[in-house]
Amino acid sequence: MAKFKKERIEFLVKNSKVIGNLFIPENEKIFKYPAAFIGGPMTSVKEQVTGVYAQALAERGFVTLAIDHRYFGESEGKPRQYEKYLDKILDIRSALDFLKKRPEVDEGFVSLVGICLGAGYTLAAASQISGVHRLATVAGYYRDTEEMKSNNGDDFYNKISSGIKAREHYELTGKVLSIPAASLIKEAAMQTKDTVDYYTNRAAVQNYANSYAVMSREFFTTFDVQTYAEKIATPFLMIHSNKALSPHWADRFYKNVKAKKIRYIIESNGQTDFYDNTYIVNECVQYISKHLTPLESKS
């Protein structure tokens, strides 16, 4: 594995400071490297899964960037813990601009990698801009809002309504109504055993707050990842598992992608194995690095 250095970086998005970790390979014979932005799960921070993949890809010769999105971790922005997908997409677009301006980066080979909900955010960002070299997703959460409404329309619209009321409460009082991001004993944004274990135990880093602003539901509930499948024009790699989140949604999304694509189904015990299981992470990174490597570098 190649040596790398880690640099703390910052850039502005709508006058709010975004803090990130930039991983840069160290090879005296190479002046410019292919690069990738790593997008992660809801409420996550750069010291968790995105940092794991950023470091692993840097060891394989990529400049990589993991950030705290606005409203999370060390980055600025209020209200805190606000999972607003439109703003996360804008953060990713700004991160790509930042990467392309770095002197170590070959701006013609800048890619996007998304894990869990970060798959949806990176796919959405790629659909809005040109110049993305490759796309790769790992254990993506390919939300299908039409199916969600069909299965439980009352719950779907009640969540939107509660989000609107929470936003109005914030605008009136300045106070953010919150629930845990992950919990098995309280109402929470994530309520599966493996996600709760990950966020409250294995990845309970100091920079992470196990909290979710209820006002997020106004926008998050309506975020339909399936709509981006036909908009993808960039070569696409999907990695998933039959025990990761909603494999039938992953199948549906992949089927509707018209661009050049490839998929790997690997074994896991659940969703968060993809976040910190060394064997699974290494397997995923091998597939990703092959997919992202410029063709001339492979010859």
Side-chain angles (χ1 to χ4, degrees):
M1 298 298 175
K3 292 183 179 180
F4 66 91
K5 61 181 179 180
K6 184 171 72 172
E7 178 181 332
R8 178 184 169 89
I9 61 91
E10 62 182 59
F11 55 87
L12 291 177
V13 181
K14 289 192 172 181
N15 296 317
S16 289
K17 189 182 297 183
V18 173
I19 305 298
N21 287 330
L22 187 71
F23 296 80
I24 307 168
E26 294 186 313
N27 185 333
E28 295 180 356
K29 297 179 180 179
I30 300 176
F31 298 99
K32 287 184 178 290
Y33 300 89
F37 171 84
I38 317 297
M42 62 187 302
T43 75
S44 65
V45 294
K46 62 187 181 300
E47 291 81 12
Q48 296 172 328
V49 57
T50 55
V52 170
Y53 277 79
Q55 177 174 322
L57 283 167
E59 291 173 340
R60 288 163 173 80
F62 295 86
V63 174
T64 55
L65 176 61
I67 66 170
D68 291 339
H69 281 275
R70 282 176 294 159
Y71 321 126
F72 295 94
E74 295 182 274
S75 291
E76 295 177 342
K78 293 183 179 180
R80 303 304 293 173
Q81 303 302 117
Y82 189 25
E83 191 75 30
K84 186 176 181 182
Y85 77 89
L86 296 169
D87 288 354
K88 284 204 164 183
I89 293 167
L90 182 57
D91 292 349
I92 293 171
R93 295 181 59 169
S94 299
L96 282 175
D97 289 340
F98 173 87
L99 274 174
K100 289 182 177 182
K101 293 175 183 176
R102 289 288 303 200
E104 308 93 345
V105 170
D106 186 334
E107 64 180 68
F109 299 102
V110 179
S111 300
L112 290 171
V113 178
I115 302 115
C116 191
L117 190 59
Y121 294 147
T122 54
L123 292 164
S127 75
Q128 297 176 0
I129 57 177
S130 60
V132 176
H133 173 58
R134 294 284 189 272
L135 289 167
T137 59
V138 177
Y141 183 31
Y142 303 94
R143 304 179 82 252
D144 188 329
T145 59
E146 291 304 313
E147 182 178 314
M148 294 168 72
K149 285 186 283 187
S150 176
N151 289 343
N152 193 340
D154 289 343
D155 180 69
F156 185 86
Y157 291 109
N158 285 340
K159 278 188 168 61
I160 295 173
S161 177
S162 67
I164 293 171
K165 291 177 181 178
R167 173 178 54 78
E168 292 173 343
H169 179 80
Y170 171 74
E171 292 170 348
L172 183 65
T173 67
K175 295 181 179 179
V176 180
L177 300 176
S178 300
I179 59 175
S183 177
L184 290 177
I185 60 176
K186 297 180 180 179
E187 179 186 9
M190 295 176 281
Q191 294 184 293
T192 62
K193 186 177 180 180
D194 72 328
T195 54
V196 171
D197 180 58
Y198 180 76
Y199 287 106
T200 65
N201 181 24
R202 286 148 42 208
V205 296
Q206 184 175 359
N207 190 37
Y208 180 70
N210 184 23
S211 177
Y212 175 84
V214 176
M215 61 192 290
S216 306
R217 288 173 167 171
E218 177 182 6
F219 297 97
F220 174 71
T221 306
T222 64
F223 182 41
D224 191 341
V225 177
Q226 293 291 327
T227 61
Y228 297 103
E230 294 185 353
K231 299 176 182 179
I232 295 175
T234 301
F236 172 57
L237 165 68
M238 174 187 284
I239 302 173
H240 212 76
S241 162
N242 292 326
K243 293 184 179 179
L245 283 173
S246 306
H248 72 292
W249 284 354
D251 291 343
R252 185 175 303 158
F253 187 93
Y254 188 79
K255 179 180 178 181
N256 290 326
V257 172
K258 307 303 181 186
K260 183 178 180 182
K261 58 188 178 181
I262 187 170
R263 174 168 59 170
Y264 296 101
I265 303 297
I266 68 176
E267 295 293 325
S268 77
N269 291 321
Q271 176 71 12
T272 62
D273 292 3
F274 285 94
Y275 300 0
D276 61 357
N277 180 295
T278 301
Y279 179 84
I280 290 176
V281 169
N282 286 340
E283 185 176 2
C284 291
V285 169
Q286 286 176 7
Y287 290 135
I288 294 168
S289 61
K290 181 179 179 181
H291 180 65
L292 304 190
T293 299
L295 290 176
E296 54 265 37
S297 299
K298 297 178 183 179
S299 58

